[in-house]
Amino acid sequence: MDSTSTDGAEADEIDVLETTDMSGKSSTFWDSWFKEEPNDSCLPSLTRKQRVMGFLTLLLAGIACFGLAFLLLPILVLKVRKFAVLFTLGSLLTLGSFSLLWGPVSHMKHLFSPERLPFTAAYLGSMALTLYSACGRQSTVLTLLFAICEVAALAWYTLSYIPGGVTGMKFISKLCGRAVTKTVETGLSSV
């Protein structure tokens, strides 16, 4: 009996360790990241540990794809399509990792909520156009154009999660736009 009660106490301690952070604070912050959606019809039988392990696996695979894509930067002109496909695959794996972590249904509801829709549409649209131009049309120029749009959309999408990030991005884009306009006007007026 004593061994059973000890095992039960150890199991309770393990549960406490899994639901609290290292400092012993409440796990409400972490629960928001690792929330289990009760109405999640996709993958309802996954445990929290399985979701976290899947998240980490997909996230690391996405980071590896980003890393391989950036290794191609020195020869980008020659390997634009490979860069675009690897970068887009990294983006999809990273999005998939968060979908697995939050629950696919919950993540899709979040992505397509009215306040997130412009960011999601720009990001997913640029990924689709990049893949189409790289794999379907096999056009280096279009692939490069849409890959640049995808990188910009990823920056915009990421900054949209940071308070004040969108405002800062708009300010920087206006500055860059003015600089490009002045450069083009100066170049055209000197010709």
Side-chain angles (χ1 to χ4, degrees):
M1 285 289 277
D2 286 334
S3 64
T4 308
S5 64
T6 305
D7 291 339
E10 288 176 7
D12 289 341
E13 287 178 24
I14 291 171
D15 288 342
V16 170
L17 290 175
E18 289 179 358
T19 59
T20 58
D21 64 5
M22 297 281 255
S23 64
K25 292 181 182 176
S26 173
S27 62
T28 55
F29 171 78
W30 294 109
D31 283 340
S32 67
W33 275 87
F34 306 121
K35 61 184 169 187
E36 294 179 28
E37 183 69 27
N39 298 329
D40 194 6
S41 59
C42 297
L43 310 171
S45 62
L46 288 181
T47 64
R48 182 177 292 182
K49 184 177 180 180
Q50 289 171 329
R51 286 184 187 273
V52 171
M53 293 304 292
F55 163 75
L56 291 174
T57 302
L58 288 177
L59 185 63
L60 288 174
I63 290 170
C65 287
F66 285 135
L68 289 172
F70 284 113
L71 285 175
L72 294 173
L73 280 179
I75 55 170
L76 185 62
V77 176
L78 301 174
K79 305 288 183 187
V80 172
R81 288 184 291 208
K82 287 183 182 179
F83 168 82
V85 169
L86 280 170
F87 193 85
T88 303
L89 182 60
S91 294
L92 290 173
L93 287 169
T94 303
L95 276 177
S97 71
F98 283 100
S99 185
L100 188 60
L101 182 65
W102 293 351
V105 173
S106 176
H107 191 233
M108 289 300 134
K109 285 179 183 176
H110 171 73
L111 288 177
F112 291 101
S113 64
E115 64 273 0
R116 303 284 319 151
L117 194 57
F119 305 109
T120 303
Y123 190 41
L124 294 178
S126 65
M127 282 194 292
L129 290 170
T130 300
L131 284 178
Y132 173 72
S133 61
C135 299
R137 300 273 308 207
Q138 296 185 351
S139 169
T140 303
V141 174
L142 284 177
T143 302
L144 182 60
L145 175 71
F146 291 129
I148 291 169
C149 290
E150 183 179 347
V151 171
L154 174 61
W156 187 33
Y157 183 81
T158 304
L159 287 174
S160 71
Y161 280 101
I162 300 170
V166 175
T167 305
M169 185 69 154
K170 286 179 182 177
F171 176 74
I172 290 171
S173 63
K174 283 181 184 179
L175 285 178
C176 291
R178 288 181 194 149
V180 168
T181 303
K182 282 186 177 184
T183 303
V184 170
E185 286 175 353
T186 304
L188 290 176
S189 65
S190 66
V191 173

